[in-house]
Amino acid sequence: MQANDFTTEIEVSKTPQEVFNAINNVRGWWSEQVEGSTTQLNNVFTYQYKDVHLCKIQLTEVIPYKKVGWHVVNNHFNFIQNNNEWVNTHIVFEITEKDGKTHVRFTHQGLVPAYECYRVCVDAWTSYIQGSLKSLVETGKGKPNSREQGLNTELIEKWNLPKK
């Protein structure tokens, strides 16, 4: 991990198991527009936000109640020139418990200030982690993006994704 990778943290009065389950409930805190399984090692899923952002992610690390790691396989933003900015980056959720509280450290390894998308991505991740994920853990209800239209047809074919 580089010092300038994006990191944000939350602390909640829930168990590591509850936090781990919430993290893996990607549709509950990030987007209802997630296709594929998000809970087991090597699962692959896609995330979409309208026509603005589409990415394909693989789970590379799943250590129950301790850590979840994702690898960004493909990515497309409609608002930047270089759509490879997220490709081959890693998203890591580290879960620790101390004094009856559970701490989550979220790091997007490879999301660095030099990226064109950095400011927008930092704002989005901060909102999703500190707002939506924390709310899902604490109240059972997150604030994910709602389901929109289907996946971008051109990228479905390019990335060899299953058609719905």
Side-chain angles (χ1 to χ4, degrees):
M1 177 176 69
Q2 297 176 357
N4 57 356
D5 292 332
F6 174 69
T7 298
T8 189
E9 303 178 24
I10 59 172
E11 187 173 81
V12 294
S13 296
K14 297 291 184 177
T15 67
Q17 180 178 358
E18 290 170 303
V19 170
F20 178 82
N21 291 341
I23 290 167
N24 287 320
N25 178 8
V26 180
R27 288 171 195 83
W29 64 267
W30 194 11
S31 178
E32 294 173 356
Q33 191 72 30
V34 166
E35 302 295 337
S37 184
T38 62
T39 60
Q40 296 182 7
L41 188 63
N42 296 319
N43 282 164
V44 175
F45 67 91
T46 56
Y47 160 87
Q48 179 182 2
Y49 177 68
K50 300 183 181 183
D51 67 345
V52 176
H53 186 198
L54 175 66
C55 62
K56 180 178 177 181
I57 295 175
Q58 180 175 21
L59 276 76
T60 55
E61 196 166 15
V62 180
I63 303 170
Y65 323 132
K66 297 201 179 293
K67 192 172 188 180
V68 176
W70 299 347
H71 171 79
V72 180
V73 177
N74 278 312
N75 189 72
H76 173 80
F77 289 116
N78 75 351
F79 60 93
I80 65 172
Q81 295 294 318
N82 180 1
N83 278 297
N84 289 321
E85 285 187 349
W86 273 32
V87 175
N88 291 322
T89 62
H90 298 275
I91 297 165
V92 180
F93 301 83
E94 297 169 290
I95 304 165
T96 56
E97 183 180 27
K98 184 177 181 184
D99 299 328
K101 301 237 182 211
T102 301
H103 183 87
V104 178
R105 179 180 175 92
F106 168 92
T107 304
H108 189 152
Q109 298 171 348
L111 177 59
V112 295
Y115 278 1
E116 185 180 355
C117 78
Y118 185 77
R119 178 59 21 219
V120 170
C121 292
V122 164
D123 289 348
W125 275 136
T126 300
S127 176
Y128 287 124
I129 303 304
Q130 293 182 8
S132 187
L133 178 60
K134 186 173 184 176
S135 177
L136 179 61
V137 172
E138 292 180 331
T139 71
K141 179 135 179 67
K143 301 167 191 161
N145 298 330
S146 61
R147 181 169 278 285
E148 298 287 339
Q149 70 281 357
L151 291 174
N152 179 312
T153 305
E154 177 185 323
L155 291 176
I156 287 174
E157 292 170 5
K158 180 178 177 183
W159 293 355
N160 194 28
L161 299 173
K163 294 180 184 175
K164 231 181 157 197

